[in-house]
Structures are given as structure tokens and as C-alpha cells.
Amino acid sequence: MLKKIKFFLNKAIPSFVLNPFLSLFSLAYIDVKSKLYAFWKIKIYKGVIIEGSILKAFSSYKIGIEIGKNVHINQGCVLNTRGEYIKIGKDSTVNPYCILDGHGGLEIGESVAIATHARVVVNHEMPDNSDLLGKKPLKKTGKTIIEDGCWIGAGVTIISGVKIGKGSVIGANAVVNKDIPPFSVAVGVPAKIIKKRNEK
């Protein structure tokens, strides 16, 4: 019964009422163009700015989306837990039109910069013979981790289940399909390490 009431409230309360209330409650700013689904599973800390984005927090966890202090999520972003969770550490920035998929769990560290049109996406099982792609289930993966101080370039694609080590830089339009060690600079499709940031 409680679950049905929550879903009703989510549909019944318009953004221009809900978002200012949540902003005041969290000491944050959520503009009225943003859409928050399962808002009771979203935890927002002081100083957060959310502009014209979609947050889908339906989750088997108590908190589906957790956004740390002073995080800025720019316009046109989509955060979708897919029943699991997304956590973003303080002082991080998600620039316009990024897609963050929480399948398997997504953890983004502190002071991470994610450039425009970057995305964390889910892999699908490889189809057998002539099976239709749309009927294949999502591939089971471990959680995706982007550690503190990383810079994810414009248009980067991160395949779920990888770990990008602390302080790494991923060049524009790269595809990350395996773990990247800390303080690496990686570019290309698939992403390959071209140097270490702590090398002289």
C-alpha cells in the first residue's frame, strides 16, 4: 500500500512544487525542468545544483541515487539506477547531456569532472545465431567505479563493470572496456594507456 502511495505522489506532485521543496529541504538547487522519479530514494546534500535533468532512482537499495556536496549536474543529463544505485562524491561535475547507468552499481568519487556527452552504459549479452538483439538480457557486471580526481573527456563511453583509477584522464571519444590504473592517461577505441601522469 505504501509503495502505491509513493508512486501516486511521484506522478501527482508536479516538478514546480516538488523541486523547490526538495531544494529547500536539502539546501540545494533543483530547477523545475528536472524530473525526479522515486524522489524518496534520492539523497541530495548541501550545495548541489541540478539543471534540467532526469533522475530515475527506482532501486532495491534504500537510497537509489546519492549526490554529494557541491555536485553540479548540468542540463540534459539522465541518471538511471536500473534497480541498483548511483553515488556521486562531493565537488564533482557532470556536464550537459551525459548518461549515467547504474546497472551493477555506479560509484563516482570526489572532484571528478565528466565532460559533455560522456556515458556509462550497460553491455548486452552477445546474441546467438539470429536472435533479436532487443530480446537479449543485460549483461551481469560488477559495479562501475570512477575514483577521485578523474577527468572523463567529451563523448567518452565507459562500459559498465570497469574501474578507472584515481586521478586518471580519459581522452575525448574513448571507449573504456577494461580497468584503468591510477594516474593514467588513456585514449582511443578501445582505450589504451599512453602515459602515466606521475611520470617525469
Side-chain angles (χ1 to χ4, degrees), residues 61 81 84-85 101-107 120-123 125 138-146 158-164 177 179:
Y61 293 82
T81 60
E84 301 204 39
Y85 69 92
D101 198 302
H103 181 72
L106 172 58
E107 298 179 6
V120 177
V121 298
V122 185
N123 204 353
E125 296 287 356
L138 298 176
K139 188 174 182 179
K140 293 181 179 179
T141 64
K143 62 186 174 183
T144 305
I145 300 173
I146 302 172
I158 299 169
I159 306 301
S160 60
V162 304
K163 179 178 180 179
I164 299 177
N177 62 355
D179 292 353

Side-chain angles (χ1 to χ4, degrees), residues 91-137:
D91 299 320
S92 292
T93 302
V94 183
N95 281 292
Y97 308 108
C98 291
I99 298 174
L100 303 180
D101 198 302
H103 181 72
L106 172 58
E107 298 179 6
I108 297 170
E110 299 177 2
S111 301
V112 171
I114 302 179
T116 184
H117 291 283
R119 50 214 173 252
V120 177
V121 298
V122 185
N123 204 353
H124 284 260
E125 296 287 356
M126 183 65 69
D128 299 321
N129 302 323
S130 59
D131 287 352
L132 298 176
L133 284 168
K135 292 185 177 181
K136 282 295 175 182

